[in-house]
Structures are given as C-alpha cells and as structure tokens.
Amino acid sequence: MNRAVESFLASDPAAAHSAARVGVPRPHESAHLHVAGAAPYVDDIPEVIGTLHAALGLSPVAHGRLRAIDLEALRAQPGVVAVLSAADIPGANDCGAIVHDEPILAQGEVQYLGQPVFAVIATERELARRAAALARKVLDIEPLPAVLTAREAHALGQYVVPPAHLVRGDARAAIEAAPRRLKDRFTLGGQEQFYLEGQISYAVPQEDGTLKVHCSTQHPSEMQHVIAHVLGKLKHHVQVECRRMGGGFGGKESQSAVFASIASLAAFKLGRPVKLRPDRDDDFMITGRRHGFEFDVEVGYDDEGHILGVEVEMLTNAGWSADLSAAVMGRAICHFDNAYWLPHVAMHGYCARTNTQSNTAFRGFGGPQGAYAIEHVIDTLARRLGRDPLEVRRANFYGVGERDVTPYEQKVEGNVIAPLVAELEASSGYQARRAEIAAWNAQSPVLKRGLALTPVKFGISFNVQHLNQAGALVHLYTDGSALVNHGGTEMGQGLNTKVAQVVAQELGLSFSNIRVTATDTFKVVNTSATAASTGSDLNGKAAQDAARQIRERLAAFAAGKWGGTAEDVRFANDQVEVNGQSVPLQELLLQAYLARVQLWSDGFYVTPGLHWDAKAMKGRPFYYFAFGAAVSEVVVDTLTGESRLLRADLLHDVGKSLNPAIDLGQVEGGFIQGMGWLTMEELVWHPKTGALLTHAPSTYKIPTANDAPAVFNTRLFDNSNVADSIHRSKAVGEPPLLLGFSVWHAIRDAVSSVGEHRIDPPLRAPATAEAVLDAVDAVRAAATPAAEPAAAETAGAV
Ligand code: MTE
Ligand code: LUZ
Ligand code: MOS
C-alpha cells in the first residue's frame, strides 16, 4: 500500500469505513472480486446453449485487389457453420468513427496486412480459427503497390484528413531574429495498448429481431450505432452492455467496433449467439495503436534558453483509415506547448494514409506525442547552452498573470507548475543528486547514471465539444440501498468507485449501500466514450445531479413531515437530521414511498464554457488543466545499452482527490506505461511486406513489476481545481503517462555524460538497448578529435 494511503488510514481509520464520502482512499469497488478471480469479464459470461464462435480471415498482403474468396473451401472445413464476407452485410459495410472510410470486411480492395476479409463461424472457437487460418490459400488477391511509411505517404500527399495548422504570431520572423537557432528532426515510436483482456464481443439474439451484445468496449453507444448501421436496424433494437473491461487504454474506444459488428452480423444472420474473441496475435494484426510521430522543428532562442519562436511539422502514420486520427493530431498540436509559453509558434500536422493498421486512441490521445517534441527540444537547447535542462524548462514555464496564454488562445488558469516543480525539486533532492551523479560518473567509465525532471500540463475535456456531456440514473430502494447507472465504462481506472462515492456523499449513504451496474445502452443513452480522462468529471457530475434531485425531494418531504425547513435537512451515515431529530434513512424512505414521492432520478451534465474554432484551432477547448512533474534517475550500461530506472519521484495534481488510493494507482500506472512506451516497447513492420513483426509478447516487451524502481515516491500535490469540477477534483487517467518522459530524459542525460554533455545524443524513442548503444557510439565518435567538426556543429548555433 502506498505510504500516503497508509498514513491516511492510520490518522483516520474510521473515515475509510464510515459513511462513504468523497476524498476517502477506498479500494476499487471490484477489488475483492479482481483478486479472487470472481469479477466476470465478457468471456466469463456463461455461454447460452447453441453458441457459435467466429474467427476472422485476414489479408496476407498490405495492398491488393480482392478478386475472389474460395468460400466453398472454407465451408467444407470441420465444424464450419457459415462463412461471411462483405456481400453478407445487409446495411452499411462501415465502422468509421468519424470519416466513413472503414469497411468492416474488405470490399474490392485489401488495404493492410491483417485486414479482416471474411469471418468463419464454427461450432468451436478452435475450429473457426483453423478455417480462418486458411486465408492465404482461399483469398485471390492481385497485389498493388503498398505505401508503408508516413514519409512515403507525405511525399505523395496522401492523408486521411486534410493537414491541420495552428499559428500564433510570426514564428518565421522570430526564429530569423533570434540570437540562436536550432534545427532538428527526430522520430517517436507508437505503442500497443496491450489491454490484458483482449478485444471480445458476444452477440445474443433476443425477441423480435433484437440483439443483446456483451462487448469489451469504452464506447457502448458507438458499438450500438455501428451494429445498427451494419444490420440496417434501429438503435432501439440493439442493446450493448459492458460491466467491465480488463483494460482499454484507448484501444477499445473505436476499435472494438469491428469485433462487435461481426459478432452481431453472424448472430443476426444465423439466429444464434455468436462470440468473437481474437487471440492476441490477431488483435495486434487487426487493430491499430498509439500513433508514432516524426518531427521537424526549427527554434529561435536566446542565451538564457527562452524560446522566442518555434515552427514544427508533425507527421504521423494514421494507417489505412481515418479512425480518430484527426482528433489525435489536434490534441498533439494543443499539447506541443506542454508547460511552456511560446510567443511565436507555427504548427503543422499531417496524418499520413498508409497500408498499415489504423492507429487510434491511446492514453493521452496525441498529447504525449506533442509534448514529447517540446521536451526533446528543450533538452537539446540546454545542452547547447551548457545549462541544466531544469533551468531552461523553468525559464520557459507559463507565468501567472503574464506569459499565460496558450497558442490556441486559452488562458492557463490555476497554473501551479512553478510551485509544483519547486516542491518536487526539493523533496527529490534534485540539486544534490545532480552533483552526486556528476561525481559518480566521473569515476565510472562503463556505467553512467542520469537524472531528469520533466513537467506536465494536460488539458482536460474532449477536444470535440459535443462529446462533453453525460447522463446517469440513480435508483433508491426503500431499504436504503441504491443502484447507480451512468454512461461511463469501467476499465480498471476506478470510475465506478468514484461515482459511487459521489452518490454516497450526496445522499449520506454508506458505501456498501451503493452498487454501480453495468453500462447499458438501454439505460443511459447517447453516451460519449469513456475517454479523454473525463469519465469521473462527466459521469460524476451527472450522477450527482440525479442524487441531488432525490435528496431535495426527500428533504422537502421530511421537513413537511417532521418540521423545520428543507434546506436544513442533513443526510449522513444513513441517517437524516431533520428539525433536531435523527431519523433513520430507511424510515424516511418508507414514509416517502407511502406518500408516493419519486425515489429515483435521472441526471445530466454538460461541461460549461467550452468553445472551439476547429479551422483556426483557437478557443477554449479545455475546462481546466492538470499538472504534474517527475524526477527519474537511471543507470545505463554503455557497453550493452541496457538501462534501469533506479528511483522515481512523482508529484501530481489531481485537484481535491475523490479517492487518493485510486488516484495514486493511476499516477503510478500511467508513469510506468509512459516509461514502457519510451524505453522498451518497440514496433517493427517488415519494410517490404508491411507485416507487423512484433505482434505478441514474445517480440513486444511491456514493463513488468520488475521494472518498477526500487525507490518509488508518488505523492498527490495539495491543490484544488479552479474550475467547478466534481468536488473540485481533476481528471487523472491520462496526464500521468507523460511523467514517463523523465525516464527517457534521464537515459539521454546518462548517454550525454559520455561526451561530457557537449554532444547531443541522437537517442531514439523508444530508448531500447539498441537505441542507447547507437546513441553512445554516436556520442563517442563525435567526442573523439577526428570528429571535431560534428561536435562543433552541434555545440553552436545553426
Ligand atoms: N486505467 C486502467 N486501469 N485501465 C485503463 O484501461 N485507461 C486510461 C485511463 N486509466 C485505463 C486506465 C485512459 S486511456 C483513459 S482516457 C482513462 O483511464 C479513462 O477513464 P477515466 O476518464 O474514468 O479516467
Ligand atoms: N478527443 C479527445 C476525442 O480529446 N479524446 C478522445 O478520446 C476523443 N475521442 C473521440 C473524439 N475526440
Ligand atoms: Mo483514453 S486514450 O482517452 O481512452
């Protein structure tokens, strides 16, 4: 248990168990089920008799004309009940989330290696998979030239959406006039979501042509929409339910649709329940992931490291379809500033269309990519100036009351970046350790240590305005127990726990008297994805609205019955204080029921004050900002390239925490996931065939418990929210992922020490052992006298 939580429990043991309220470090609502293996996920739902299993036949080539499918050969396979292709779709063959460019089963052309072309439905999952594995044999495809990289597509002007531009001031002129200039180009890898529970859908036909679909998805309403569309049905025919996911991380925001719609199509066609659970390799081959980026930057700066002007071109591989790429690029552009004031800036974003998987949402949604670029720039400026990167970061921080307007013209309100960083700098012993590490490195020829502090500012709200709405239902039974249902989904992040706490607070109920039930498109309708970290902000407010209405009705009734005023009635500890008396809540509920008072309510919430000019990319896209910072210390073996995180100190701003235990878990988890992205998770596609070669845990390495640092200090920054968010808390899901930057920068710092910090290490991201070794070699080569010109070039202004 985290020390902060332990000390809280020690100081106030009653609080954790007493009447629930917000601010209590309560365990996850399903923790006792998770650890006992008793929390059902979709594949644990008992199968209805007659259930069939689907498997997908995937394109074996990156691009080609689909001439024919030998359906007869497939139908002749053992256990095969049906084979479905695009021709079997009664409605629209499309699951594009924004742009309608995404066939569910390939039609006419195949557009990437791994694209689903047909579905085999069989009596057993294994038999379906065996038949589907014959894809290469049964597909007649005429190969076409494939475009496999963003650079190639960029050269051809081939994009999934038009380029995006955000300009403030005159970046060109500022760069030209600046005393110093930097021109740089670097790349950033993508990242697989690697949710532990893979994609899965189980479609069960119901009466009168309706369908119930159990789906592991962050976006039940979108699944309902796509399924209805594919089947040519109305939305009220399609019920999508999700009790919980074993992780989503953005990968189940739009891309659960292909699985949901194919399971539904098969169930609809055959009139039998159909389950589709691709195995991990197929999941990797079919779905997209975090967008890798390439950056071209030009910066003008002064002798103190102030950025005077910056122009950046961001190029990303969107993959074969648009999916959410336009919004991801929008967020990348709106997070390029990170914690820094950029007076003159020009940003250009290109979403390249290639013949690879379609990249999608992943924790941070482009924000980490944009912010990574400016952190890379600042680290380089610092080296060129011979200063500690922390000094240069600080020189560029957003101010308070001045230098506080973002490139998209939103004022940074509630800015705590300077005090937060100062607190972390002190608590982590940054300055002393900097000196200690320099001394240690001086006497250690092979092992080198590195240290870095990186800050985070992250804008909270969907950057597509209308998505910032939510609904909830609160049902109070006469025994004082409550059922809560809202539009958000539970993926391990603790959303249901937080929403239950909000309702508990509002009605003075104990936590055990509240259950949050499965997300269900037949209950709360027209919901947004649980994404953009807004789950508890939106659904917490909606549930609070519903609970408040019940409380007000009950208060009026109580005052009418026992005297006093409704405003003075208090609800706490399953009791009601009314006119000097304490009445058990159950007693009040029974009386209210007999008097025919409505004991349930709906609730609704819309984030106020947002506006956005999508073309100019100006306005107020975010309700508020969350802040944080991390200090990481690593050791690098300069002979093998291996690195290890020795110590991490995280300080993160969640406003007034709704649940410090869950928030600390999110901060630590986000940090480790960010570290994994930037240090060990490497994606490799075959340069000729376009096959993803890293398509399983055997070839794709995510962090494990062993990668957590021995010293891991995580604390929540003492703060509130300047915006009127749910109990003044702040969203926590995505922002801490950016804390992982500090690990990459610490590695770069360690490599930099090889050249006495005079040479910029050309360190790639992810900083795998190979990448570290390459960077060490490059620094060594540049540091030797023969390579003097290279060193001179990197040390001076361009
Ligand atoms: N935490 C866990 N355990 N599992 C997840 O899948 N997804 C992250 C984050 N934290 C995720 C998680 C992402 S991408 C988002 S957007 C938020 O949780 C979504 O939930 P919230 O809005 O309720 O924080
Ligand atoms: N915007 C955003 C979005 O900021 N985060 C998201 O997850 C998202 N999803 C769809 C559309 N816009
Ligand atoms: Mo999170 S990437 O917004 O699902």
Side-chain angles (χ1 to χ4, degrees), residues 543-562:
Q544 182 186 44
D545 179 44
R548 180 189 50 76
Q549 294 177 52
I550 300 170
R551 180 170 49 74
E552 285 173 359
R553 270 183 231 132
L554 285 173
F557 173 76
K561 189 167 179 65
W562 285 285

Side-chain angles (χ1 to χ4, degrees), residues 247-250 363 491-493 495 530-536 666 733-734:
F249 303 111
R363 206 170 195 170
M491 57 193 102
Q493 86 279 38
L495 172 60
T530 307
S533 305
T534 60
S536 47
Q666 286 290 299
E734 294 168 294

Side-chain angles (χ1 to χ4, degrees), residues 57-198:
L58 311 183
S59 170
V61 299
H63 192 200
R65 195 161 291 120
L66 179 59
R67 285 194 291 230
I69 311 173
D70 185 352
L71 297 171
E72 289 319 304
L74 289 168
R75 286 183 185 129
Q77 297 304 309
V80 172
V81 174
V83 183
L84 303 174
S85 66
D88 296 298
I89 294 174
N93 182 14
D94 175 67
C95 63
I98 298 171
V99 183
H100 297 296
D101 63 348
E102 205 166 314
I104 287 154
L105 291 168
Q107 196 162 9
E109 269 191 18
V110 291
Q111 297 179 80
Y112 69 101
L113 196 158
Q115 181 174 13
V117 183
F118 60 87
V120 176
I121 321 300
T123 50
E124 285 171 41
R125 183 168 175 269
E126 247 345 273
L127 296 175
R129 290 186 61 210
R130 267 169 213 265
L134 299 173
R136 192 177 286 276
K137 273 199 188 137
V138 302
L139 293 177
D140 179 4
I141 297 172
E142 173 193 340
L144 294 171
V147 174
L148 298 176
T149 65
R151 285 260 171 245
E152 278 174 78
H154 194 31
L156 295 168
Q158 187 175 298
Y159 309 112
V160 292
V161 290
H165 304 280
L166 195 173
V167 172
R168 194 244 312 263
D170 188 343
R172 264 338 312 159
I175 295 166
E176 307 288 326
R180 289 167 169 264
R181 268 176 270 164
L182 165 75
K183 197 171 173 168
D184 210 352
R185 166 178 270 204
F186 44 89
T187 67
L188 174 60
Q191 185 180 22
E192 166 62 36
Q193 286 89 2
F194 221 116
Y195 23 68
L196 289 185
E197 177 207 32

Side-chain angles (χ1 to χ4, degrees), residues 44-56:
D44 299 316
I45 296 170
E47 285 172 11
V48 175
I49 289 172
T51 292
L52 299 171
H53 298 268
L56 301 174

Side-chain angles (χ1 to χ4, degrees), residues 375-706:
E375 292 300 338
H376 191 290
V377 163
I378 290 198
D379 188 65
T380 301
L381 298 191
R383 196 170 294 97
R384 292 184 181 198
L385 292 165
R387 289 173 186 254
D388 187 313
L390 178 54
E391 267 181 64
V392 178
R393 291 193 158 98
R394 202 165 356 234
N396 287 287
F397 279 165
Y398 275 111
V400 175
E402 49 162 13
R403 298 159 47 96
D404 62 354
V405 179
T406 63
Y408 44 92
E409 306 294 354
Q410 173 166 356
K411 195 166 150 74
V412 182
E413 281 158 351
N415 174 10
V416 294
I417 200 69
L420 188 152
V421 165
E423 186 181 325
L424 180 66
E425 182 184 7
S427 68
S428 67
Y430 179 89
Q431 297 300 346
R433 286 162 68 201
R434 170 66 71 208
E436 190 243 320
I437 288 169
W440 191 87
N441 283 344
Q443 53 75 50
S444 176
V446 173
L447 298 181
K448 297 288 185 186
R449 278 156 65 190
L451 185 72
L453 184 155
T454 57
V456 176
K457 167 182 129 288
F458 198 94
I460 302 298
S461 289
F462 280 98
N463 64 5
V464 173
Q465 217 184 103
H466 72 268
L467 300 177
N468 295 290
Q469 57 174 308
L473 295 170
V474 174
H475 295 170
L476 200 50
Y477 293 98
T478 50
D479 66 353
S481 68
L483 268 190
V484 180
N485 192 265
H486 58 82
T489 55
E490 177 63 46
M491 57 193 102
Q493 86 279 38
L495 172 60
N496 285 350
T497 313
K498 288 181 173 180
V499 172
Q501 285 178 270
V502 167
V503 172
Q505 173 93 21
E506 213 60 27
L507 294 172
L509 293 175
S510 47
F511 193 77
S512 56
N513 276 334
I514 301 178
R515 290 190 70 76
V516 181
T517 55
T519 316
D520 183 340
T521 59
F522 279 4
K523 290 188 178 165
V524 175
V525 307
N526 309 324
T527 59
S528 297
T530 307
S533 305
T534 60
S536 47
D537 284 28
L538 298 177
N539 298 288
K541 277 280 194 185
Q544 182 186 44
D545 179 44
R548 180 189 50 76
Q549 294 177 52
I550 300 170
R551 180 170 49 74
E552 285 173 359
R553 270 183 231 132
L554 285 173
F557 173 76
K561 189 167 179 65
W562 285 285
T565 64
E567 292 71 43
D568 292 334
V569 178
R570 291 284 168 273
F571 294 76
N573 304 317
D574 302 298
Q575 298 279 324
V576 185
E577 303 297 324
V578 48
N579 197 24
Q581 300 176 59
S582 185
V583 180
L585 180 66
Q586 258 194 43
E587 170 68 18
L588 168 60
L589 290 173
L590 214 55
Q591 297 296 335
Y593 167 73
L594 293 174
R596 295 182 290 179
V597 175
Q598 184 185 340
L599 298 182
W600 59 274
S601 184
D602 61 339
F604 187 64
Y605 178 71
V606 169
T607 312
L610 305 176
H611 57 94
W612 184 240
D613 174 345
K615 179 122 190 62
M617 300 192 77
K618 304 273 176 178
R620 183 193 165 96
F622 304 123
Y623 191 33
Y624 61 87
F625 298 94
F627 301 91
V631 175
S632 288
E633 180 178 340
V634 301
V635 62
V636 168
D637 182 329
T638 57
L639 292 181
T640 65
E642 290 163 290
S643 63
R644 167 157 275 285
L645 176 62
L646 299 173
R647 170 174 172 181
D649 294 73
L650 316 181
L651 184 57
H652 196 79
D653 160 36
V654 296
K656 275 200 186 314
S657 176
L658 287 173
N659 182 328
I662 280 172
D663 285 346
L664 285 164
Q666 286 290 299
V667 174
E668 290 183 349
F671 168 78
I672 294 288
Q673 199 166 35
M675 171 184 86
W677 170 41
L678 295 173
T679 63
M680 62 184 82
E681 300 185 36
E682 187 170 35
L683 293 159
V684 180
W685 284 265
H686 191 285
K688 293 219 166 61
T689 65
L692 176 64
L693 302 175
T694 49
H695 54 76
S698 54
T699 41
Y700 187 81
K701 182 172 162 29
I702 61 170
T704 66
N706 285 331

